[in-house]
Amino acid sequence: MTNPVYRVAARGRGAHRTISDAVAAVPAGAVIAVAPGTYPEHVRLERRVVLVPEQGPGTVEIRPAHGPALSVAAPDCAVRQLTLQGTDPAEALVRVEDAAGLVLEECALSHGRIEVLGRPDAPDAPEAEPPEEAARLAVLHGALTADLVADLQDPTTGGVLLLRRTRLHGARHAALHVSGDGRARLEDTVITSVDGIGVVLSGTARVVADGLRITGSSGSALRARGATRLAVRAARLTGPGRHGVLAQDTAQVLLDDCLVAGAAGSGAQAEHEARIDLTGCRIAAPGGSGLVTGGGARLTARDCRVVTPTANGALALGDSALELVDCAVSGSGFSALHLGERARGGLTGCRITDSEEHALVVTDEARARAADTTLSDAAMCGVQVAVAGAVALTGCRVTGGESGVRLLSAEESELTESTVAGQRKAGVELGPGARARLTGTRIADVGSAGVTVAGGARLRMDGGGVFRAGGTALVLWKDTDCAVTGVRIDTAGKNGVLIGDDASGTFEYCDIRATAFPALHIGERAEPRFVRCRIFDCGQDLGTAKDAAPVFEDCTAHGVEQSVLPTATASGPGPAAPARPGASDRPSGPASDAARPEEDEELADEGAPEAEPESLEDLLTELGELVGLERVKSDVGGMVKLMQTVRRRREAGLPAPPLSRHLVFAGNPGTGKTTVARLYGRLLKALGLLAVGHLVEVDRSALVGEYVGHTGPKTTEAFNRARGGVLFIDEAYSLAPAVAGNDFGTEAIATLVKLMEDQRDEVVVIAAGYPDDMDRFIGSNPGLSSRFSRTLLFEDYSSDELVHIVEHHAERHAYKLTDEARAALSGHFAAIPRTVRFGNGRTARQVFQEMTERQAMRVSELAAPDADVLMQLSPLDLPESALTR
């Protein structure tokens, strides 16, 4: 039977003059058709009715003088194709009361929020036994949907809202708030320009969303707290002022095929005991970290991508758990994955690439396990484990970066059937007291040592090998506990195995081949034991220092030009190696490696081949080739001339003029401060004013401790790592908070001032940060102003300079920009607002990465593209925001 239809119109026989009059007069189940016009009234639905415009969408507007435009106190009501506008964005525009139900379809709402109310003290439904992880989203999503459809007609539940193809604009605090035991389903809904949060859940609320769009919220796009449940599919959350998704308390949030782009904070963050599950989602360019867990929260991501986060790709702290399966993390501004405190993390089938710091950091008491995962091209370490952390890698690849795996924890870490390759320095480093077990692990093509084991460390290595190490394949120092079995060493730039002074260890069934220096070098008083080991194709098999006492059992040498290795079973020390013949063109024997390294030399450089010294002219040319930075390049060039004069006066026996080498780098993010700092250290080394010239980059977290007495040692440790080079303190102003109080940053500054005085000739300190904040840093301690007497100002890049940076990245990766793409790119950069979130060079790099991704999608549709097509970047490959301008 068709429901009766009643009219609302300003004139005409049989029509009600106001919507409120009609609602009060019609029977339950009636349809009220409203004539075109603006109705300045508050409409309250206390019985089941349907409101529709008589002549279609956009013709009827409800605009009350104050209060909500629509209140619903009855179940199973519906409002379709109406426009509702409030007078106060901070107040409710639509209120669905406890036990009421509303379908709001194809409506336009502005200047007010939607409230769905429920009983604030409603008990949470008991949790059933959780299904398999892969089915969690479907089960919860389906259950919530079915329950909600039934709840629309059930007066015993909390308020229920079904929101379809509706637009919410201009609310304050929140666009939609579902509280108590309220329920809501959102279908193809758009929320824009919220001075606050897009959607908030509290109490025991349940919300399901399909096709949701939230743009321009000043707070988080989605926030679930209390014991709420939120399931979201195909959402696009763009530019939230805080987090994309925030889950707190015991809330559970599930996201499927969602995009979170440009969040000022984290992409998705779980706190307290909350849980977030993501499937097929993309977190793009968050201002903080991509994924964050803390407290006892849990976050699981499957088949997700985190792209160019300003901070970490994923950060887990507290007692939280982080699980990534078949995920990709690329372009992180900090370490790609950071696990600290007591967090637990797991990676399966993931790809971690191009982080500005480490690919994976496990510190404090955290634990991480990774399987079938690739960690590549980190600027620092592929994996770093510190304090009391531990990691277990199975079937993983760690490629590129400065070092491969650096272990600084006394808790045992494991590498099983994994590969470490292509590092500039060492493959695997064990710091003092570290513990590691390597099983079937391959280290290859590293710049210096394959594996280094520091004093007090313990290594168990079974199977696998070290191949084509630039320096010594395996380096052991004093007091190590080392057992190596069935390992192959092939083609080392120095020794195959270097046993340091007073060191020991057991080597069984190992093969060593084609080393440039003696296959084995045994240091003073060292007592290693070799059982059934073989040496092949070396100029010399053994070199020993004074009082060395190696033991060889059934070891043999094959194809060795000068063999001094005992070939029969022996129980005593082997003979010392004779001097190398002068006619040989191979590197000399024991003398090449017998010298004890300086105590402050980085362990990663042990056994590394001597690098060719860099010339001052080449370094100045490299400085001149940097894009933009003309004022900075001029300042650095002038300082180089001054320091050349200082050096010449010293060589002539004349007193040197007063000179402070410490600098302040003032500039916005991405303006090349770190690049110039690294080059500055190399220039000082070329001038003979620094011994090493390396760069150690730190921030507040690396200098400031968490409790009394922690900061001084932490700052000193960072300073000592920079001895012989440059200590670069990023965001140095954070050590001197704007609001005075009990802050350990002042202790870090005082420690730095003392260290800069005590070791003034060994370390150069560069403090970097925003121009307006660096004055506060310098003024925070009287000792800073005298030590930082020169400030270099790094100006923002112009649009043309940003284009040159993109071209530089393109050349490095074998791409070419067309003339049209170059012009369009210049216009794109010119149109980007230069706000505090503008990343300068980092923005250029992100644009290049997005262009290559778009180009890859474009050419994948071509049948047989040639090399020129594969290299070419056209205007079609510019970011979508540039194409829609």
Side-chain angles (χ1 to χ4, degrees):
M1 181 174 112
T2 303
N3 291 335
V5 178
Y6 299 84
R7 293 186 69 243
V8 173
R11 61 178 61 87
R13 179 178 296 180
H16 297 278
R17 297 296 176 247
T18 69
I19 301 174
S20 296
D21 288 345
V23 169
V26 303
V31 176
I32 300 175
V34 185
T38 298
Y39 294 81
E41 58 180 301
H42 164 65
V43 177
R44 181 174 175 82
L45 306 183
E46 295 185 335
R47 60 173 60 88
R48 178 169 56 89
V49 295
V50 178
L51 296 181
V52 296
E54 190 175 56
Q55 296 185 21
T59 60
V60 174
E61 179 179 352
I62 300 176
R63 185 186 294 184
H66 57 82
L70 176 66
S71 296
V72 182
D76 205 16
C77 297
V79 175
R80 297 186 174 92
Q81 299 182 344
L82 299 189
T83 298
L84 287 76
Q85 181 168 329
T87 56
D88 186 348
E91 297 295 331
L93 179 63
V94 175
R95 179 177 289 133
V96 181
E97 299 178 1
D98 184 20
L102 173 66
V103 176
L104 200 60
E105 189 169 15
E106 297 181 2
C107 293
L109 285 67
S110 63
H111 296 84
R113 67 176 176 272
I114 299 177
E115 291 182 349
V116 182
L117 308 178
R119 292 172 295 167
D121 57 347
D124 192 12
E127 287 291 325
E129 186 69 22
E132 289 296 322
E133 291 296 333
R136 279 180 52 78
L137 179 63
V139 170
L140 182 54
H141 195 284
L144 287 180
T145 302
D147 290 348
L148 189 142
V149 172
D151 289 346
L152 280 170
Q153 301 173 350
D154 185 355
T156 65
T157 67
V160 180
L161 172 68
L162 183 54
L163 199 62
R164 287 177 174 156
R165 297 181 295 282
T166 290
R167 183 181 184 91
L168 290 74
H169 174 80
R172 185 177 299 160
H173 303 316
L176 169 63
H177 185 186
V178 185
S179 63
D181 62 345
R183 303 286 188 267
R185 177 176 175 82
L186 286 63
E187 298 177 359
D188 299 322
T189 291
V190 177
I191 297 174
T192 61
S193 301
V194 183
D195 185 10
I197 304 169
V199 177
V200 182
L201 289 71
S202 61
T204 59
R206 303 289 188 267
V207 172
V208 174
D210 277 294
L212 174 65
R213 302 289 187 272
I214 301 179
T215 303
S217 60
S218 66
S220 300
L222 302 173
R223 180 185 179 190
R225 52 194 177 94
T228 57
R229 302 292 183 265
L230 170 64
V232 184
R233 282 179 175 163
R236 298 295 180 264
L237 314 176
T238 306
R242 295 197 67 192
H243 311 300
V245 180
L246 176 61
Q248 298 172 301
D249 304 318
T250 60
Q252 292 190 22
V253 176
L254 298 103
L255 282 80
D256 180 28
D257 187 27
C258 295
L259 169 67
V260 181
S266 306
Q269 181 160 324
E271 301 175 352
H272 309 128
E273 302 295 324
R275 176 168 182 160
I276 296 179
D277 289 84
L278 302 96
T279 302
C281 295
R282 178 182 169 97
I283 311 294
S289 297
L291 308 173
V292 177
T293 60
R298 179 173 179 180
L299 188 150
T300 302
R302 296 175 183 81
D303 192 26
C304 295
R305 295 185 63 192
V306 179
V307 182
T308 59
T310 301
N312 305 108
L315 171 66
L317 298 172
D319 296 291
S320 66
L322 174 70
E323 193 76 24
L324 306 183
V325 180
D326 296 329
C327 292
V329 179
S330 61
S332 303
F334 295 173
S335 296
L337 307 176
H338 183 109
L339 277 70
E341 298 177 350
R342 297 160 302 282
R344 296 294 183 267
L347 308 172
T348 304
C350 295
R351 301 176 306 283
I352 314 299
T353 60
D354 297 313
S355 63
E356 293 289 338
E357 295 182 352
H358 310 294
L360 170 62
V361 172
V362 184
T363 188
D364 302 323
E365 299 175 34
R367 298 289 183 271
R369 52 181 170 74
D372 302 321
T373 289
T374 298
L375 303 106
S376 63
D377 298 324
M380 297 180 183
C381 290
V383 178
Q384 175 158 302
V385 182
V387 191
V391 67
L393 307 182
T394 303
C396 294
R397 288 183 56 83
V398 181
T399 61
E402 184 177 68
S403 299
V405 178
R406 179 179 293 158
L407 306 175
L408 307 173
S409 167
E411 298 296 320
E412 185 171 81
S413 290
E414 299 181 4
L415 280 71
T416 304
E417 302 297 335
S418 295
T419 297
V420 180
Q423 283 72 38
R424 296 186 297 276
K425 291 187 176 180
V428 177
E429 304 174 32
L430 276 66
R435 302 287 185 267
R437 183 177 297 274
L438 278 59
T439 304
T441 291
R442 183 176 185 271
I443 297 100
D445 302 305
V446 296
S448 59
V451 180
T452 62
V453 186
R458 185 183 73 187
L459 172 67
R460 297 291 182 266
M461 190 171 181
D462 188 357
V466 181
F467 305 89
R468 299 176 299 282
T472 296
L474 179 57
V475 180
L476 276 64
W477 292 113
K478 182 179 180 179
D479 297 327
T480 55
D481 178 4
C482 182
V484 180
T485 304
V487 169
R488 181 180 177 186
I489 293 171
D490 198 325
T491 314
K494 284 194 171 182
N495 306 106
V497 178
L498 187 150
I499 310 294
D501 297 346
D502 300 297
S504 62
T506 301
F507 298 81
E508 297 181 329
Y509 303 97
C510 295
D511 286 351
I512 303 173
R513 177 186 172 275
T515 61
F517 289 3
L520 306 175
H521 175 77
I522 315 300
E524 295 182 8
R525 300 173 300 282
E527 299 178 349
R529 179 169 171 259
F530 296 86
V531 179
R532 295 192 177 182
C533 294
R534 301 183 299 177
I535 297 174
F536 300 87
D537 307 326
C538 299
Q540 184 173 322
D541 49 21
L542 173 65
T544 56
K546 182 181 178 181
D547 297 327
V551 175
F552 297 96
E553 300 178 12
D554 297 331
C555 296
T556 58
H558 308 270
V560 175
E561 293 182 15
Q562 182 174 352
S563 176
V564 294
L565 181 72
T567 56
T569 300
S571 58
R580 293 291 294 151
S584 173
D585 60 357
R586 288 181 177 272
S588 60
S592 301
D593 277 323
R596 185 181 183 89
E598 293 297 326
E599 291 183 0
D600 63 348
E601 186 174 358
E602 289 191 19
L603 188 60
D605 290 329
E606 299 296 350
E610 294 296 330
E612 289 293 328
E614 295 181 299
S615 72
L616 188 61
E617 292 75 14
D618 289 343
L619 292 173
L620 290 173
T621 299
E622 185 176 339
L623 175 68
E625 291 174 350
L626 296 178
V627 175
L629 305 177
E630 299 305 325
R631 180 174 173 181
V632 170
K633 289 187 284 192
S634 175
D635 288 346
V636 173
M639 293 167 60
V640 167
K641 293 177 181 178
L642 175 60
M643 287 182 283
Q644 282 179 303
T645 302
V646 169
R647 184 183 65 180
R648 289 166 182 162
R649 287 181 62 87
R650 286 177 178 173
E651 291 171 349
L654 298 172
L659 173 67
S660 175
R661 300 176 297 175
H662 308 301
L663 299 173
V664 172
F665 282 9
N668 292 323
T671 49
K673 297 186 293 295
T674 305
T675 300
V676 174
R678 186 173 286 109
L679 193 52
Y680 183 61
R682 293 160 61 198
L683 283 164
L684 292 179
K685 181 176 185 292
L687 287 165
L689 299 178
L690 283 177
V692 183
H694 65 297
L695 183 81
V696 173
E697 185 176 357
V698 298
D699 57 13
R700 176 185 168 91
S701 65
L703 302 177
V704 176
E706 299 174 359
Y707 49 84
V708 174
H710 191 199
T711 295
K714 198 169 183 179
T715 302
T716 302
E717 188 274 335
F719 194 92
N720 286 337
R721 282 193 285 124
R723 287 174 63 185
V726 175
L727 180 66
F728 182 84
I729 308 174
D730 197 16
E731 297 182 351
Y733 54 83
S734 64
L735 299 174
V739 179
N742 295 325
D743 187 89
F744 293 141
T746 57
E747 181 183 351
I749 292 174
T751 304
L752 278 170
V753 170
K754 185 177 187 305
L755 290 169
M756 291 166 69
E757 176 62 27
D758 294 345
Q759 302 181 40
R760 66 172 66 92
D761 294 328
E762 295 189 66
V763 176
V764 168
V765 178
I766 296 177
Y770 291 106
D772 294 342
D773 294 316
M774 292 308 295
D775 289 341
R776 184 178 78 244
F777 168 72
I778 297 300
S780 65
N781 186 297
L784 291 178
S785 58
S786 62
R787 288 166 176 82
F788 291 101
S789 58
R790 184 186 296 267
T791 297
L792 272 61
L793 181 61
F794 287 71
E795 298 175 341
D796 288 346
Y797 290 112
S798 68
S799 299
D800 288 341
E801 288 170 343
L802 292 171
V803 173
H804 287 315
I805 293 173
V806 172
E807 289 184 303
H808 171 70
H809 287 297
E811 291 173 3
R812 285 181 55 199
H813 294 84
Y815 286 93
K816 293 181 180 178
L817 273 70
T818 65
D819 292 340
E820 294 80 3
R822 196 175 292 107
L825 196 57
S826 180
H828 171 60
F829 285 131
I832 297 177
R834 301 300 176 100
T835 64
V836 294
R837 297 183 61 187
F838 181 68
N840 280 288
R842 184 175 294 161
T843 296
R845 188 189 68 201
Q846 292 169 354
V847 167
F848 168 69
Q849 181 170 342
E850 187 169 349
M851 290 180 71
T852 60
E853 292 176 358
R854 292 175 64 87
Q855 188 248 29
M857 297 296 294
R858 179 170 57 82
V859 301
S860 67
E861 300 176 0
L862 304 178
D866 58 23
D868 288 342
V869 172
L870 292 171
M871 294 172 62
Q872 188 178 87
L873 296 175
S874 77
L876 296 174
D877 303 320
L878 262 66
E880 188 171 350
S881 58
L883 299 177
T884 56
R885 285 196 177 98

